Amino acid sequence: MKARVHVMLKNGVLDPQGEAVRHALGALGFDGVNGVRQGKVIELDLADGTSEADITSMCEKLLANTVIESYSVEMV
Amino acid sequence: MRAAVVVFPGSNCDRDLAVAFEAAGAQVEMVWHKDSELSQNVDIVGIPGGFSYGDYLRCGAIAAQSPIVASVKAHADRGGYVMGICNGFQVLTETGLLPGALLRNAGLKYICKTVGLRVETSNSAFTEGYNAGDVIDIPIAHHDGNYFADAETVARLQGEDRVAFRYTDNPNGAIADIAGILSENRRVLGMMPHPERAADAGHGGTDGQALFRALAGVLATA
């Protein structure tokens, strides 16, 4: 089984990388891009039967820093 | 004063920190990240700057899970002194020994230069060699030095006089210009600037010396 973890900076936390991308899109002539947030995707290849609680624990302990980041888990 | 300096793969200020401790009169032992125990009589643990584990995932995130860090936490929980500089500060926030987190610099650039720091409190073993309000010159060298904490945490840090240093000219976007903070018991310090790089006349500045001398003074009698 596989899980895909999406990690994003929380709303309200400045994302300077996202801002740089937004500026670059503007420079390319794409108007109307009001905001860009850049996050990361972490794919986990897991033993069958890995519990949801374990995946949550992985996210909370290591994969995301919940002071500044939010995360969501997608089973694939 | 007995000091331990933790060495992670990617640490690069470990020797500088050891030399600064030694110059202040400390006996220093280097401790490898895979060791699981500190010597029992260690007074202060230094977490040096660098790029532990290549900054993979997030700065300091993987180091915070290394075997030695559990002992560093236990040392802090017993009331021991801990000092994290630059990547060491990132490690201390990732372990939860200090609140908040370090984000990418607001200007996106790696910054390496000497900056002005205002000493905000002289009420700690680290800062008692200065007067509150003193402005000192200390180098920074970081890409992820933008200190962030929620409004409630910042208010608590300020209310409890736990902001150790502020930038006089904020280089990285840090909230409330914060460059270094203290733990609740004032025995854990995390700071982005490098006092160990301003601790010898050969460094071009000696404003960091007072920090190590003050520590040595407090810990000599501990």
Side-chain angles (χ1 to χ4, degrees):
Chain A
M1 61 187 277
K2 283 192 177 178
R4 199 172 284 149
V5 180
H6 299 259
V7 181
M8 296 293 291
L9 282 171
K10 285 182 176 171
N11 287 330
V13 176
L14 173 71
D15 178 358
Q17 295 178 105
E19 272 300 286
V21 174
R22 187 176 68 85
H23 281 290
L25 288 172
L28 283 171
F30 294 105
D31 295 330
V33 180
N34 296 323
V36 176
R37 309 285 288 171
Q38 180 175 322
K40 57 191 148 198
V41 176
I42 301 166
E43 280 195 353
L44 305 172
D45 189 350
L46 299 163
D48 286 343
T50 303
S51 71
E52 215 170 285
D54 273 351
I55 299 172
T56 301
S57 186
M58 291 177 204
C59 293
E60 302 265 333
K61 281 188 177 163
L62 183 65
L63 302 181
N65 177 343
T66 54
V67 176
I68 48 171
E69 293 169 330
S70 58
Y71 67 88
S72 60
V73 179
E74 178 194 356
M75 303 308 295
V76 289
Chain B
M1 168 169 70
R2 287 173 181 272
V5 174
V6 179
V7 185
F8 298 105
S11 293
N12 64 12
C13 299
D14 43 339
R15 187 171 169 278
D16 310 50
L17 184 55
V19 168
F21 275 136
E22 273 164 9
Q27 279 178 271
V28 184
E29 60 179 277
M30 309 303 276
V31 184
W32 184 233
H33 68 116
K34 282 191 174 165
D35 292 350
S36 53
E37 301 236 355
L38 295 163
S39 300
Q40 277 200 331
N41 51 9
V42 160
D43 297 309
I44 179 161
V45 181
I47 315 283
F51 299 86
S52 57
Y53 300 87
D55 276 356
Y56 293 144
L57 193 62
R58 291 179 310 278
C59 304
I62 298 178
Q65 309 300 328
S66 67
I68 194 63
V69 168
S71 319
V72 175
K73 275 164 124 170
H75 167 80
D77 289 344
R78 284 193 298 269
Y81 288 84
V82 181
M83 174 184 189
I85 299 169
C86 199
N87 186 231
F89 185 15
Q90 294 160 345
V91 173
L92 292 181
T93 59
E94 284 284 343
T95 59
L97 280 175
L98 291 172
L102 280 308
L103 296 167
R104 182 73 28 107
N105 293 343
L108 278 171
K109 289 196 171 67
Y110 178 89
I111 310 168
C112 182
K113 65 177 183 183
T114 295
V115 299
L117 289 188
R118 197 168 55 248
V119 180
E120 294 291 329
T121 179
S122 58
N123 178 21
S124 78
F126 306 95
T127 55
E128 69 166 37
Y130 304 102
N131 296 311
D134 282 357
V135 173
I136 57 176
D137 290 326
I138 302 287
I140 58 168
H142 59 240
H143 200 180
D144 298 73
N146 179 349
Y147 182 72
F148 177 85
D150 58 32
E152 194 185 315
T153 303
V154 172
R156 197 172 71 240
L157 289 171
Q158 293 179 153
E160 294 173 358
D161 190 32
R162 287 166 54 191
V163 177
F165 302 102
R166 277 195 165 87
Y167 300 107
T168 56
D169 186 12
N170 192 342
N172 53 34
I175 197 158
D177 301 325
I178 290 173
I181 57 170
L182 294 159
S183 61
E184 214 169 332
N185 70 0
R186 317 187 78 77
R187 292 184 172 198
V188 181
L189 170 76
M191 63 189 294
M192 285 312 296
H194 288 272
E196 81 284 12
R197 293 190 189 177
D200 184 287
H203 294 160
T206 54
D207 285 358
Q209 238 172 29
L211 187 155
F212 294 98
R213 285 185 180 161
L215 263 180
V218 171
L219 295 180
T221 52

PDB file of all heavy atoms in Angstrom, chain A residues 27-43:
ATOM      1  N   ALA A  27       5.742  37.615 -14.546  1.00  0.00           N
ATOM      2  CA  ALA A  27       6.730  38.066 -15.537  1.00  0.00           C
ATOM      3  C   ALA A  27       6.546  37.340 -16.864  1.00  0.00           C
ATOM      4  O   ALA A  27       6.888  37.865 -17.930  1.00  0.00           O
ATOM      5  CB  ALA A  27       8.143  37.830 -14.994  1.00  0.00           C
ATOM      6  N   LEU A  28       6.004  36.111 -16.806  1.00  0.00           N
ATOM      7  CA  LEU A  28       5.753  35.363 -18.038  1.00  0.00           C
ATOM      8  C   LEU A  28       4.471  35.816 -18.738  1.00  0.00           C
ATOM      9  O   LEU A  28       4.122  35.320 -19.804  1.00  0.00           O
ATOM     10  CB  LEU A  28       5.626  33.858 -17.734  1.00  0.00           C
ATOM     11  CG  LEU A  28       6.940  33.124 -17.482  1.00  0.00           C
ATOM     12  CD1 LEU A  28       6.648  31.712 -16.977  1.00  0.00           C
ATOM     13  CD2 LEU A  28       7.769  33.052 -18.759  1.00  0.00           C
ATOM     14  N   GLY A  29       3.770  36.748 -18.103  1.00  0.00           N
ATOM     15  CA  GLY A  29       2.572  37.270 -18.737  1.00  0.00           C
ATOM     16  C   GLY A  29       1.286  36.619 -18.265  1.00  0.00           C
ATOM     17  O   GLY A  29       0.212  36.908 -18.803  1.00  0.00           O
ATOM     18  N   PHE A  30       1.372  35.718 -17.280  1.00  0.00           N
ATOM     19  CA  PHE A  30       0.139  35.112 -16.762  1.00  0.00           C
ATOM     20  C   PHE A  30      -0.462  36.049 -15.722  1.00  0.00           C
ATOM     21  O   PHE A  30       0.026  36.142 -14.605  1.00  0.00           O
ATOM     22  CB  PHE A  30       0.427  33.737 -16.142  1.00  0.00           C
ATOM     23  CG  PHE A  30       0.874  32.715 -17.144  1.00  0.00           C
ATOM     24  CD1 PHE A  30       2.204  32.316 -17.221  1.00  0.00           C
ATOM     25  CD2 PHE A  30      -0.045  32.153 -18.032  1.00  0.00           C
ATOM     26  CE1 PHE A  30       2.619  31.385 -18.147  1.00  0.00           C
ATOM     27  CE2 PHE A  30       0.366  31.211 -18.966  1.00  0.00           C
ATOM     28  CZ  PHE A  30       1.694  30.832 -19.030  1.00  0.00           C
ATOM     29  N   ASP A  31      -1.492  36.757 -16.143  1.00  0.00           N
ATOM     30  CA  ASP A  31      -2.141  37.670 -15.212  1.00  0.00           C
ATOM     31  C   ASP A  31      -3.119  36.896 -14.342  1.00  0.00           C
ATOM     32  O   ASP A  31      -3.584  35.820 -14.711  1.00  0.00           O
ATOM     33  CB  ASP A  31      -2.926  38.745 -15.998  1.00  0.00           C
ATOM     34  CG  ASP A  31      -1.972  39.621 -16.787  1.00  0.00           C
ATOM     35  OD1 ASP A  31      -0.824  39.791 -16.325  1.00  0.00           O
ATOM     36  OD2 ASP A  31      -2.367  40.102 -17.867  1.00  0.00           O
ATOM     37  N   GLY A  32      -3.435  37.465 -13.225  1.00  0.00           N
ATOM     38  CA  GLY A  32      -4.513  36.897 -12.418  1.00  0.00           C
ATOM     39  C   GLY A  32      -4.098  35.747 -11.529  1.00  0.00           C
ATOM     40  O   GLY A  32      -4.945  35.025 -11.022  1.00  0.00           O
ATOM     41  N   VAL A  33      -2.782  35.535 -11.365  1.00  0.00           N
ATOM     42  CA  VAL A  33      -2.365  34.538 -10.377  1.00  0.00           C
ATOM     43  C   VAL A  33      -2.273  35.267  -9.037  1.00  0.00           C
ATOM     44  O   VAL A  33      -1.342  36.025  -8.797  1.00  0.00           O
ATOM     45  CB  VAL A  33      -1.000  33.899 -10.735  1.00  0.00           C
ATOM     46  CG1 VAL A  33      -0.602  32.856  -9.689  1.00  0.00           C
ATOM     47  CG2 VAL A  33      -1.052  33.280 -12.122  1.00  0.00           C
ATOM     48  N   ASN A  34      -3.271  35.056  -8.212  1.00  0.00           N
ATOM     49  CA  ASN A  34      -3.369  35.861  -6.994  1.00  0.00           C
ATOM     50  C   ASN A  34      -2.494  35.354  -5.857  1.00  0.00           C
ATOM     51  O   ASN A  34      -2.191  36.086  -4.927  1.00  0.00           O
ATOM     52  CB  ASN A  34      -4.816  35.926  -6.525  1.00  0.00           C
ATOM     53  CG  ASN A  34      -5.687  36.640  -7.548  1.00  0.00           C
ATOM     54  OD1 ASN A  34      -5.234  37.608  -8.178  1.00  0.00           O
ATOM     55  ND2 ASN A  34      -6.896  36.159  -7.750  1.00  0.00           N
ATOM     56  N   GLY A  35      -2.126  34.103  -5.956  1.00  0.00           N
ATOM     57  CA  GLY A  35      -1.279  33.565  -4.883  1.00  0.00           C
ATOM     58  C   GLY A  35      -0.707  32.227  -5.283  1.00  0.00           C
ATOM     59  O   GLY A  35      -1.316  31.494  -6.065  1.00  0.00           O
ATOM     60  N   VAL A  36       0.480  31.914  -4.782  1.00  0.00           N
ATOM     61  CA  VAL A  36       1.087  30.598  -5.015  1.00  0.00           C
ATOM     62  C   VAL A  36       1.607  30.104  -3.669  1.00  0.00           C
ATOM     63  O   VAL A  36       2.272  30.843  -2.939  1.00  0.00           O
ATOM     64  CB  VAL A  36       2.262  30.679  -6.019  1.00  0.00           C
ATOM     65  CG1 VAL A  36       2.945  29.311  -6.164  1.00  0.00           C
ATOM     66  CG2 VAL A  36       1.799  31.170  -7.383  1.00  0.00           C
ATOM     67  N   ARG A  37       1.294  28.900  -3.323  1.00  0.00           N
ATOM     68  CA  ARG A  37       1.856  28.259  -2.137  1.00  0.00           C
ATOM     69  C   ARG A  37       2.616  27.036  -2.628  1.00  0.00           C
ATOM     70  O   ARG A  37       2.109  26.262  -3.419  1.00  0.00           O
ATOM     71  CB  ARG A  37       0.764  27.805  -1.164  1.00  0.00           C
ATOM     72  CG  ARG A  37      -0.259  28.868  -0.809  1.00  0.00           C
ATOM     73  CD  ARG A  37       0.260  29.894   0.152  1.00  0.00           C
ATOM     74  NE  ARG A  37       0.428  29.391   1.511  1.00  0.00           N
ATOM     75  CZ  ARG A  37       1.037  30.078   2.477  1.00  0.00           C
ATOM     76  NH1 ARG A  37       1.540  31.268   2.206  1.00  0.00           N
ATOM     77  NH2 ARG A  37       1.159  29.581   3.687  1.00  0.00           N
ATOM     78  N   GLN A  38       3.841  26.897  -2.155  1.00  0.00           N
ATOM     79  CA  GLN A  38       4.651  25.763  -2.593  1.00  0.00           C
ATOM     80  C   GLN A  38       4.807  24.794  -1.428  1.00  0.00           C
ATOM     81  O   GLN A  38       5.237  25.169  -0.342  1.00  0.00           O
ATOM     82  CB  GLN A  38       6.023  26.272  -3.045  1.00  0.00           C
ATOM     83  CG  GLN A  38       6.945  25.168  -3.514  1.00  0.00           C
ATOM     84  CD  GLN A  38       8.250  25.728  -4.080  1.00  0.00           C
ATOM     85  OE1 GLN A  38       8.263  26.747  -4.738  1.00  0.00           O
ATOM     86  NE2 GLN A  38       9.341  25.053  -3.804  1.00  0.00           N
ATOM     87  N   GLY A  39       4.462  23.548  -1.663  1.00  0.00           N
ATOM     88  CA  GLY A  39       4.595  22.553  -0.604  1.00  0.00           C
ATOM     89  C   GLY A  39       5.437  21.383  -1.068  1.00  0.00           C
ATOM     90  O   GLY A  39       6.202  21.500  -2.016  1.00  0.00           O
ATOM     91  N   LYS A  40       5.288  20.257  -0.400  1.00  0.00           N
ATOM     92  CA  LYS A  40       6.000  19.075  -0.886  1.00  0.00           C
ATOM     93  C   LYS A  40       5.130  17.843  -0.752  1.00  0.00           C
ATOM     94  O   LYS A  40       4.189  17.804   0.048  1.00  0.00           O
ATOM     95  CB  LYS A  40       7.323  18.899  -0.167  1.00  0.00           C
ATOM     96  CG  LYS A  40       7.258  18.790   1.322  1.00  0.00           C
ATOM     97  CD  LYS A  40       8.681  18.890   1.893  1.00  0.00           C
ATOM     98  CE  LYS A  40       8.670  19.542   3.251  1.00  0.00           C
ATOM     99  NZ  LYS A  40       9.942  20.043   3.680  1.00  0.00           N
ATOM    100  N   VAL A  41       5.452  16.860  -1.568  1.00  0.00           N
ATOM    101  CA  VAL A  41       4.722  15.602  -1.570  1.00  0.00           C
ATOM    102  C   VAL A  41       5.701  14.509  -1.175  1.00  0.00           C
ATOM    103  O   VAL A  41       6.804  14.426  -1.719  1.00  0.00           O
ATOM    104  CB  VAL A  41       4.151  15.310  -2.972  1.00  0.00           C
ATOM    105  CG1 VAL A  41       3.467  13.951  -2.990  1.00  0.00           C
ATOM    106  CG2 VAL A  41       3.180  16.396  -3.387  1.00  0.00           C
ATOM    107  N   ILE A  42       5.306  13.709  -0.209  1.00  0.00           N
ATOM    108  CA  ILE A  42       6.154  12.606   0.247  1.00  0.00           C
ATOM    109  C   ILE A  42       5.384  11.308   0.034  1.00  0.00           C
ATOM    110  O   ILE A  42       4.273  11.154   0.551  1.00  0.00           O
ATOM    111  CB  ILE A  42       6.508  12.783   1.734  1.00  0.00           C
ATOM    112  CG1 ILE A  42       7.241  14.112   1.948  1.00  0.00           C
ATOM    113  CG2 ILE A  42       7.359  11.608   2.234  1.00  0.00           C
ATOM    114  CD1 ILE A  42       7.345  14.534   3.394  1.00  0.00           C
ATOM    115  N   GLU A  43       5.940  10.402  -0.757  1.00  0.00           N
ATOM    116  CA  GLU A  43       5.257   9.132  -0.997  1.00  0.00           C
ATOM    117  C   GLU A  43       5.829   8.063  -0.093  1.00  0.00           C
ATOM    118  O   GLU A  43       7.041   7.871  -0.035  1.00  0.00           O
ATOM    119  CB  GLU A  43       5.421   8.714  -2.457  1.00  0.00           C
ATOM    120  CG  GLU A  43       4.451   9.447  -3.349  1.00  0.00           C
ATOM    121  CD  GLU A  43       4.320   8.819  -4.737  1.00  0.00           C
ATOM    122  OE1 GLU A  43       5.083   7.879  -5.048  1.00  0.00           O
ATOM    123  OE2 GLU A  43       3.454   9.284  -5.487  1.00  0.00           O
TER     124      GLU A  43
END
